[in-house]
Amino acid sequence: ETGVTQSPTHLIKTRGQQVTLRCSSQSGHNTVSWYQQALGQGPQFIFQYYREEENGRGNFPPRFSGLQFPNYSSELNVNALELDDSALYLCASSLELPNNEQFFGPGTRLTVL
Amino acid sequence: RKEVEQDPGPFNVPEGATVAFNCTYSNSASQSFFWYRQDCRKEPKLLMSVYSSGNEDGRFTAQLNRASQYISLLIRDSKLSDSATYLCVVNASSSASKIIFGSGTRLSIRP
């Protein structure tokens, strides 16, 4: 176990709704990254937070937004859900920057109907 | 062209065989490189970082070729438990993070 937890484990939403996914990082880790993984694909980088500031973003539209809290836990918010948003959402925490090992949580499986 | 490319496989090899994967990346400014392993319906886990001088961890050897912009992973004396998807990961930015995963190479070890 990595010590990274995510909630919920599964979620079903309908198109147009909004969703918030949560991640608690491993103790002592101040960096959290979020990924979207479609079936049969590698994880796609959404963004990274370092000490509560966004520190890099992938090719995702603005309706994907995030937040990191003083305790370094994090949220991923997705507005105006689309069918293609159905995927496994992974968060990973790491200690400091820039290029340390990332520890992944088990993921949240989001289904958009 | 994808920023990080891997042969999707599947590679199906007998137990005890040696198998090698390559991964190419397009951004010459890429700073750090990793191999992750992902089991079916599980989260990725770090297998090893890839250093410029190459590095070895037991049966696993990783190498970086900056001139040709690829990294490699060699698995010797493969075990049944090595069956998994192997993901190549590149941090393509020197400032803010831009972490790119390849699509993964599926490896299946047969008895």
Side-chain angles (χ1 to χ4, degrees), chain A residues 37 45 48 55 99 102 105, chain B residues 32 34 36 38 91 97 99:
Chain A
Q37 187 172 26
F45 177 61
Q48 182 182 81
N55 181 65
N99 298 314
Q102 295 186 77
Chain B
S32 55
F34 307 89
Y36 277 74
Q38 187 171 26
N91 191 341
S97 289
I99 303 163

Side-chain angles (χ1 to χ4, degrees), chain B residues 55-74:
Chain B
N55 47 305
E56 187 174 311
D57 182 3
R59 299 181 294 109
F60 299 85
T61 300
Q63 292 195 313
L64 166 64
N65 185 318
R66 283 194 183 272
S68 300
Q69 295 183 203
Y70 74 86
I71 65 173
S72 63
L73 177 68
L74 182 77

Side-chain angles (χ1 to χ4, degrees), chain A residues 11-28:
Chain A
L11 200 53
I12 298 175
K13 290 285 189 177
T14 55
R15 199 169 42 180
Q17 286 189 308
Q18 178 267 341
V19 68
T20 297
L21 309 182
R22 295 178 175 83
C23 172
S24 290
S25 58
Q26 185 164 320
S27 178

